[in-house]
Amino acid sequence: MKLLNLGILAHVDAGKTSLTERLLYAAGVIDEVGSVDDGSTQTDSLALERQRGITIKSAVVSFPIGDVTVNLIDTPGHPDFIAEVERALSVLDGAVLVISAVEGVQAQTRVLMRTLQRLRIPTLIFVNKADRAGAQYEPVLKSIADKLSAAIVPMGSACGLGTRSATFTPYGPDDPYGDLLEVLTENDDQLLATFVENEEALSVHALRRQLAVQTKKALVHPVYVGSAITGAGTDALSEGIREFLPLASTDADGPVDGSVFKVERGPAGEKVAYVRMFSGTAHVRDRLRFGRGEAKLTALEVFGEPQKAAVRAGQIGKLWGLADVQIGDRITSTGQEPSTATGGFFAPPTLETVISPLRPSDKGNLQVALTQLAEQDPLINLRQDDLRQETYVSLYGEVQKEVIQTTLATEFGIDVDFRETTTICIERIDGTGQAVEFNKKDPNPFLATVGLRVEPAPVNAGVTFELEVELGSMPYAFIKAVEETVRETLGQGLHGWQIPDARVVMTHSGYSARQSHAHAVFDKSMSSTAGDFRFLTPLVLVTALQEAGTTVHEPMHRFQLEIPTDTTRAVLAALARLRAIPQVPALAAETSTLEGEIAAAAVYQLEQQLPALTRGEGVLESAFERYQPVTGPVPERPRTDHDPLHRREYLLHVQRRV
C-alpha cells in the first residue's frame, strides 16, 4: 500500500481547515464541504475551534488520491499552539503550506517555513483565497521568494483573481515553466552540465521528473494558487501531492519503532495514544515499551483502514492500553533495545497564571481536569500551592487562557477564572556550597544525618544526584527519600524559582536503627523513618544553596521585525525603552529588518505598540531563545512549600504534621 502522511500548515485564518474540507470532498469522503464560519468542519471538533474559527488541536483524517492513501493532519496556526504544530511535524512525510492571496506571507508563515526547512520536510505551497477581493498572485510570489525561499516553481497561471470565477490553469507538457531550469540547476551541477552540452536533451518531461526528485529532497517548492471555497486549483494541488511528495517508508518487517504525537481521553476516560509507525508492526495484545514503562496493547484503530488488528510502518494509529504513555514517547517492542531517537525541541512556556474555580466546591474536580489537560499537552505545567490552596498553570500566550477556560466549562462543567499573567524565571547556581546536619545533635530535631554538596551543572543537563557515601551505609529507602526530596526542593530556589540544572552530592549519611521498648512494638521516637530524611533534607539543601548562591535568569526571546524604513528610529527608541538588545539594522529603501533579543515579559508590550509605531505595517516574529541573568530588582516567586529558608516556621509546620 502507498501511504503519505501529510501536514497542512499556515498562519491564522489562511484557510487550511477549509482546504482540508475541500480535499475530503474531492476524494468523496464527505458529501458536503464544511464551513469554518458555521462550525461544520470535520477536523475542528472542539467547541472553541468552531466558535473562534481557529484550529487548536491537531486532527487526523484519511482520504485517497489515486492509488495513494493520505493521512492528513490539520494543525493549529496560532502561535499559542506552536507545540501542537511541532508534534505534528515530527510524523510528517510532506507538507502543504497555505498562504492567503490577500494577506500574503505573515510572521507565523515564516516561523513555519523555517521549521519545515530545518527538519527538511518536503513542502508544497498553496496560495489560497484567490476568489477574495484584493487577491494577488505575482506580488505574493515575490513575497514568498523574498521571505520564505527563492527555490519556488509556479505550477500554472491564474486569472480572474478577486472574483468567484477565479481559476488556476496548471502548466501542460508543452508550456514553459518560467525559471524552472534555473531553480533546478542551483542544486544540481550535472543538470547544468547536461543543459550546456545539449539544450534539447532537457525536455519539459525530464525537467518535471527532476522537479519531483528535488521536491522530495525539500530543495524546491512547487507553488499552486486557488480557492478552497470554490475548489479552484485544488485538483492541481492534489495531483502535485501525489506526484511531488515522498511516500512513507513501509518496512513492516523491521523492528517496532513509533512516535506518540498526541494523547487524548476516550469516552470512558481511558487514555488513547496517536502513534506514527516508522518501522515494524504492532499487533493487539503485543507488549510495547515506551517512556515510563511497558504495557499490553489492548485495542487499536488505523486511520484509513478500519477493522485492523495491527498498525504497520508508515501508518498512523490510535492505541489503547498504554496507561502511562506521554506525548513524545517512542514506542518499541519489549524484546528490543529502547529507541535512542528523540523528539523535537519544544521551547518552554514562559508565562504563568493562577487558575481558580468560581465555585469553591469544584476545587477537587479542577485538579483532576487540569491533570488530564496536562496529559494532552506536556508543555502545560501545573504547580500546586498547598499553603494558599492555589494552582498555577504555565502558558505560551493569552489565547491559551480562553482555550483552557472553555474546555473546562464544556468538557468538565467547571467555570474558572484567571489571575494576571506573569513571566516564569529560573535560578542557576553560582558556585559550590555544602551543609550537613547530624543525627541527635542540635539543632537537628530529626533522627537522620544528611550532608549535601551542590554545584552548578551545564545548561539543560538537568539535576543529577550522586553519592559519596557507601550505598550500604543506611537503608536504600532512606537514600531514595533524600534524592526524591532534593529534586522536589530544587523546584523552588532561594528566590522561589525552579533550579533546572544542578549537581547534588550526598556527602554524609546516618540513621538510628530500628528499636523498640521491651515487649513493645516499633517506636518511631527511637528509630529513623523515611519522613525524618524527607523533613531534614530541605533544610540542609537550602543551607548549601545559600553558601553557593543563585542568580535569577529571565527568559529572552529572539525577535525579527520587518518595518517601514522611515520608522526605524521610532522603533529603535521603543526597543530601548523595553530593554531589548537589537543588532545593527539591515536597512533597505522601503522595508528594513531589525533582529535581536528582548525579555519575554516585554514581548506583549512590543506587540501592542508596534501598529502605532509602524502605521500598521510592522511584522513581529519572536520565539524563545535562552535565559539570561535579570538586571535590576530580582523578582521573587511566592513559595508553595513550608519554606525551609525560615527554619523556625518550617519546623513548626512539619513537626505539627508529624
Side-chain angles (χ1 to χ4, degrees):
M1 171 184 287
K2 296 181 178 179
L3 289 171
L4 169 62
N5 295 300
L6 177 72
I8 293 186
L9 300 94
H11 65 81
V12 176
D13 201 33
K16 62 185 179 303
T17 300
S18 298
L19 179 59
T20 300
E21 293 290 310
R22 176 59 62 179
L23 293 175
L24 293 175
Y25 176 75
V29 175
I30 57 177
D31 297 327
E32 184 179 356
V33 177
S35 168
V36 174
D37 294 335
D38 296 338
S40 57
T41 58
Q42 296 292 306
T43 53
D44 285 348
S45 57
L46 297 181
L48 185 61
E49 292 180 310
R50 299 179 186 276
Q51 174 188 335
R52 289 285 301 269
I54 61 174
T55 301
I56 295 167
K57 294 291 183 182
S58 56
V60 182
V61 289
S62 295
F63 64 95
I65 297 180
D67 59 346
V68 177
T69 298
V70 177
N71 290 324
L72 192 149
I73 303 171
D74 183 38
T75 61
H78 198 284
D80 282 8
F81 312 110
I82 190 64
E84 283 284 335
V85 179
E86 291 271 356
R87 291 181 209 125
L89 294 183
S90 68
V91 302
L92 298 184
D93 301 306
V96 174
L97 182 63
V98 183
I99 299 172
S100 169
V102 180
E103 289 91 2
V105 175
Q106 301 290 296
Q108 182 68 2
T109 316
R110 295 202 297 270
V111 172
L112 294 171
M113 188 62 172
R114 276 210 306 270
T115 306
L116 289 166
Q117 291 173 326
R118 174 170 53 83
L119 299 176
R120 303 202 63 78
I121 296 175
T123 304
L124 308 183
I125 297 174
F126 184 70
V127 180
N128 192 27
K129 299 188 178 182
D131 60 317
R132 294 285 184 90
Q136 301 179 85
Y137 186 34
E138 295 298 335
V140 173
L141 282 178
K142 184 179 185 305
S143 179
I144 293 172
D146 292 342
K147 299 177 180 179
L148 300 183
S149 172
I152 60 171
V153 178
M155 299 303 294
S157 59
C159 64
L161 294 179
T163 68
R164 296 285 292 184
S165 59
T167 59
F168 176 75
T169 305
Y171 290 139
D174 299 322
D175 293 326
Y177 275 71
D179 299 327
L180 174 60
L181 179 62
E182 181 180 342
V183 172
L184 294 178
T185 54
E186 284 289 327
N187 305 305
D188 191 336
D189 293 337
Q190 182 59 46
L191 185 66
L192 178 60
T194 302
F195 175 75
V196 172
E197 294 171 5
N198 183 5
E199 181 178 351
E200 295 180 358
L202 291 178
S203 64
V204 173
H205 288 289
L207 289 176
R208 191 171 177 109
R209 286 195 299 271
Q210 187 59 223
L211 174 61
V213 170
Q214 293 197 17
T215 301
K216 291 175 182 178
K217 294 180 180 179
L219 299 173
V220 179
H221 310 290
V223 180
Y224 300 84
V225 66
S227 168
I229 299 298
T230 66
T234 55
D235 289 342
L237 176 64
S238 295
E239 181 59 29
I241 291 171
R242 188 192 64 79
E243 180 179 2
F244 295 121
L245 294 181
L247 299 176
S249 170
T250 53
D251 181 15
D253 298 325
V256 174
D257 181 19
S259 176
V260 179
F261 67 94
K262 179 178 179 178
V263 171
E264 66 181 16
R265 290 280 178 174
E270 74 280 15
K271 190 176 287 189
V272 184
Y274 284 65
V275 176
R276 157 71 194 268
M277 294 297 294
F278 291 99
S279 73
T281 303
H283 301 83
V284 174
R285 293 186 293 279
D286 282 354
R287 287 198 70 81
L288 299 176
R289 177 183 293 173
F290 48 90
R292 288 191 172 185
E294 60 181 59
K296 184 169 72 173
L297 180 58
T298 58
L300 63 83
E301 289 181 9
V302 179
F303 286 97
E305 286 192 34
Q307 309 303 323
K308 288 289 181 179
V311 55
R312 295 178 171 79
Q315 295 179 326
I316 291 178
K318 295 166 66 175
L319 309 187
W320 280 261
L322 313 182
D324 296 323
V325 74
Q326 291 187 325
I327 292 172
D329 283 351
R330 300 295 290 205
I331 300 290
T332 60
S333 63
T334 55
Q336 67 189 61
E337 289 297 317
S339 173
T340 57
T342 57
F345 169 74
F346 299 150
T350 55
L351 303 174
E352 183 179 62
T353 185
V354 173
I355 183 172
S356 57
L358 295 181
R359 296 185 297 271
S361 59
D362 282 336
K363 274 188 177 181
N365 294 334
L366 175 61
Q367 195 63 30
V368 174
L370 287 173
T371 301
Q372 291 194 16
L373 291 183
E375 286 177 353
Q376 299 172 22
D377 188 343
L379 298 179
I380 294 180
N381 299 318
L382 301 178
R383 190 168 65 93
Q384 185 67 28
D385 185 343
D386 293 328
L387 299 181
R388 300 171 186 83
Q389 295 295 303
E390 293 178 338
T391 301
Y392 290 79
V393 59
S394 57
L395 305 166
Y396 280 92
E398 293 294 322
V399 175
Q400 270 188 301
K401 280 186 179 179
E402 185 179 354
V403 173
I404 293 172
Q405 188 175 41
T406 304
T407 303
L408 290 172
T410 56
E411 295 188 12
F412 300 94
I414 302 173
D415 295 320
V416 297
D417 196 11
F418 295 93
R419 208 175 288 169
E420 182 182 359
T421 303
T422 57
T423 304
I424 301 175
C425 298
I426 64 169
E427 291 183 50
R428 297 206 185 279
I429 299 174
D430 297 333
T432 299
Q434 56 187 0
V436 60
E437 297 209 18
F438 293 98
N439 185 12
K440 299 179 181 178
K441 287 189 177 181
D442 287 336
N444 177 12
F446 304 108
L447 296 178
T449 295
V450 175
L452 298 172
R453 184 173 70 250
V454 296
E455 302 172 0
V459 175
N460 297 327
V463 175
T464 59
F465 182 80
E466 302 172 20
L467 298 178
E468 280 186 2
V469 298
E470 292 291 335
L471 188 59
S473 61
M474 65 180 186
Y476 179 71
F478 294 167
I479 295 177
K480 195 65 179 174
V482 173
E483 179 181 358
E484 291 173 353
T485 308
V486 162
R487 296 183 183 278
E488 181 182 342
T489 305
L490 288 177
Q492 300 177 81
L494 301 180
H495 300 279
W497 304 102
Q498 181 187 13
I499 300 176
D501 306 304
R503 179 174 182 259
V504 182
V505 181
M506 189 170 183
T507 58
H508 296 76
S509 66
Y511 74 108
S512 295
R514 183 182 179 92
Q515 299 180 46
S516 63
H517 295 288
H519 310 293
V521 296
F522 168 65
D523 188 347
K524 287 199 296 184
S525 67
M526 302 169 59
S527 313
S528 296
T529 66
D532 288 302
F533 290 89
R534 293 187 186 279
F535 292 139
L536 179 59
T537 297
L539 292 172
V540 177
L541 184 58
V542 297
T543 303
L545 285 173
Q546 287 174 320
E547 181 177 310
T550 66
T551 300
V552 176
H553 288 60
E554 64 180 335
M556 299 294 291
H557 282 219
R558 172 154 290 281
F559 71 86
Q560 183 182 72
L561 276 168
E562 286 193 1
I563 57 175
T565 299
D566 62 339
T567 66
T568 302
R569 180 173 297 180
V571 172
L572 285 172
L575 291 173
R577 290 193 296 271
L578 295 172
R579 299 188 298 116
I581 309 169
Q583 299 173 354
V584 177
L587 299 176
E590 296 182 1
T591 303
S592 296
T593 303
L594 286 173
E595 295 186 4
E597 288 186 338
I598 185 172
V603 171
Y604 182 68
Q605 299 176 54
L606 180 57
E607 289 174 342
Q608 297 297 101
Q609 297 176 22
L610 191 61
L613 293 170
T614 62
R615 303 186 297 274
E617 299 178 28
V619 176
L620 170 64
E621 174 187 326
S622 72
F624 172 80
E625 177 73 9
R626 63 186 180 90
Y627 289 97
Q628 80 164 22
V630 169
T631 56
V634 176
E636 301 284 337
R637 187 191 216 182
R639 300 190 69 92
T640 59
D641 57 10
H642 292 293
D643 196 0
L645 288 169
H646 296 88
R647 185 183 186 97
R648 183 172 178 276
E649 287 79 3
Y650 175 83
L651 291 175
L652 285 174
H653 281 297
V654 301
Q655 289 181 317
R656 186 183 303 125
R657 289 174 61 187
V658 175

